Amino acid sequence: LIDNIIASAQPDSTTYYICAAYFSKSGKPDKCIDLLRKNHNLYPENKFPAFEYLSYIYSTEDWNLLGKESAVIAEQFPKELYPLQVNAISKIQLKNYREGIEVLEKIRELSLKNNDTTALLNTYSLLGDTYHELGNEAKTFQFYKKALAIDPNNLPVLNNFAYYLSVKKQNLKKAYTMSSITVAKEPDNPTFLDTFGWILYLMGRPVEAKSHFKHAMLYGGKENAVILDHYAEVLYKLKEYDLAFIYWEQANNIDRTLNIDSKIKERKEQIGKK
């Protein structure tokens, strides 16, 4: 029926959207993309078909195609933020961080010009995340501070800021304050619980840290190798060695790149020396 509609109907947005929705739901993303592209080309002056096209590509996580098409559409609609935003995300996902920063700076300029604080907040947050990937912690913290100046209770920014401070083992009191806000607002979020628990551990409070990690285990923490690794460190500190090694083994099975097998060997040797 859908093939007959495409073959016989006069092309218009209704036709394309109905057929594209069918192909999307039936697991044929290439056909859906093709129809949304045709619909965009049918109405090149209208931003909405263009944005629908980009949104669907985004949902497929085809970052190469998204980067290519969003760059073209950004030129077609130079005053619009959305094509630039997904273009920046595509570059970041492809680890082209410096190119991503260039696009984010364009978004920042346009957001300031339009007095769009929501877009500016998201841009500062992404700039902070991207500079972290480049190892530039000064810029990371600079942009997180700018984001929090707009929204002091932005939970993802508070969590990332706190966690990166903990990784650097810097200003743990500030990290504790920021992280405590996130777990108060979302007490079942395993990522936030991990950050808060890890900060407590670094502050020499492993008993308190343990309770937060136990809670994180109930809400998806067992599926994250980093959270499991952190929990094992806390348990090891509390001399609950058998349980610590169980969680390290689980973490190692999830992500071999963390080199946890070497840690397990080293810690077992340490116990043997005591």
Side-chain angles (χ1 to χ4, degrees):
L1 178 61
I2 293 295
D3 286 338
N4 287 338
I5 291 173
I6 294 171
S8 62
Q10 183 71 26
D12 59 19
S13 282
T14 301
T15 300
Y16 282 134
Y17 283 140
I18 290 172
C19 297
Y22 167 78
F23 287 128
S24 174
K25 295 295 185 181
S26 60
K28 299 176 181 178
D30 291 345
K31 288 191 174 183
C32 178
I33 288 172
D34 182 58
L35 289 177
L36 291 176
R37 182 190 298 114
K38 287 179 178 178
N39 189 52
H40 161 50
N41 291 335
L42 190 64
Y43 305 98
E45 305 301 321
N46 190 327
K47 67 181 180 181
F48 296 107
F51 293 0
E52 288 283 351
Y53 174 48
L54 292 180
S55 294
Y56 184 75
I57 299 174
Y58 184 98
S59 73
T60 68
E61 299 185 359
D62 186 339
W63 307 120
N64 285 304
L65 180 61
L66 182 63
K68 176 184 175 182
E69 296 295 81
S70 61
V72 174
I73 291 173
E75 291 184 1
Q76 290 177 306
F77 303 97
K79 295 183 179 181
E80 297 294 334
L81 286 172
Y82 183 68
L84 289 172
Q85 290 169 331
V86 295
N87 185 258
I89 291 171
S90 71
K91 293 181 183 302
I92 292 167
Q93 290 291 334
L94 292 169
K95 302 187 185 303
N96 298 327
Y97 298 122
R98 297 196 181 281
E99 293 180 14
I101 287 172
E102 290 179 7
V103 180
L104 288 171
E105 288 293 350
K106 292 179 182 178
I107 297 171
R108 178 163 70 147
E109 291 177 9
L110 193 55
S111 300
L112 286 168
K113 182 178 179 181
N114 296 338
N115 196 28
D116 188 336
T117 54
T118 300
L120 198 57
L121 170 63
N122 293 333
T123 302
Y124 285 149
S125 177
L126 270 174
L127 279 167
D129 295 343
T130 308
Y131 273 112
H132 173 73
E133 295 296 334
L134 290 172
N136 190 332
E137 299 303 332
K139 286 282 190 180
T140 297
F141 297 153
Q142 174 189 333
F143 283 111
Y144 284 162
K145 288 177 182 177
K146 287 179 177 291
L148 293 175
I150 298 173
D151 180 6
N153 292 312
N154 186 281
L155 301 186
V157 175
L158 285 169
N159 177 74
N160 288 351
F161 200 163
Y163 184 69
Y164 296 150
L165 283 173
S166 75
V167 170
K168 302 289 287 186
K169 297 182 180 179
Q170 295 177 352
N171 207 340
L172 291 178
K173 289 184 178 180
K174 180 176 181 178
Y176 173 89
T177 299
M178 291 191 291
S179 185
S180 64
I181 296 172
T182 69
V183 294
K185 295 285 187 181
E186 294 189 12
D188 299 331
N189 186 311
T191 301
F192 296 168
L193 288 165
D194 170 56
T195 298
F196 192 56
W198 189 240
I199 291 167
L200 287 169
Y201 167 77
L202 293 174
M203 296 177 77
R205 298 158 64 177
V207 175
E208 294 174 68
K210 179 182 174 181
S211 67
H212 287 86
F213 279 109
K214 284 180 68 176
H215 194 67
M217 293 300 106
L218 300 174
Y219 292 93
K222 289 184 178 180
E223 300 171 7
N224 187 296
V226 173
I227 297 177
L228 289 168
D229 179 33
H230 287 166
Y231 189 24
E233 288 284 4
V234 171
L235 293 168
Y236 188 87
K237 182 70 174 180
L238 294 171
K239 298 183 180 180
E240 298 182 36
Y241 299 128
D242 290 342
L243 195 54
F245 288 121
I246 288 173
Y247 282 113
W248 267 323
E249 290 288 355
Q250 290 179 9
N252 192 47
N253 290 335
I254 292 173
D255 188 350
R256 299 273 178 182
T257 66
L258 295 178
N259 202 29
I260 292 174
D261 50 352
S262 298
K263 180 187 288 189
I264 293 172
K265 181 180 178 181
E266 177 186 336
R267 296 300 175 85
K268 286 185 176 180
E269 290 175 354
Q270 288 177 359
I271 295 173
K273 292 177 181 178
K274 293 181 181 179

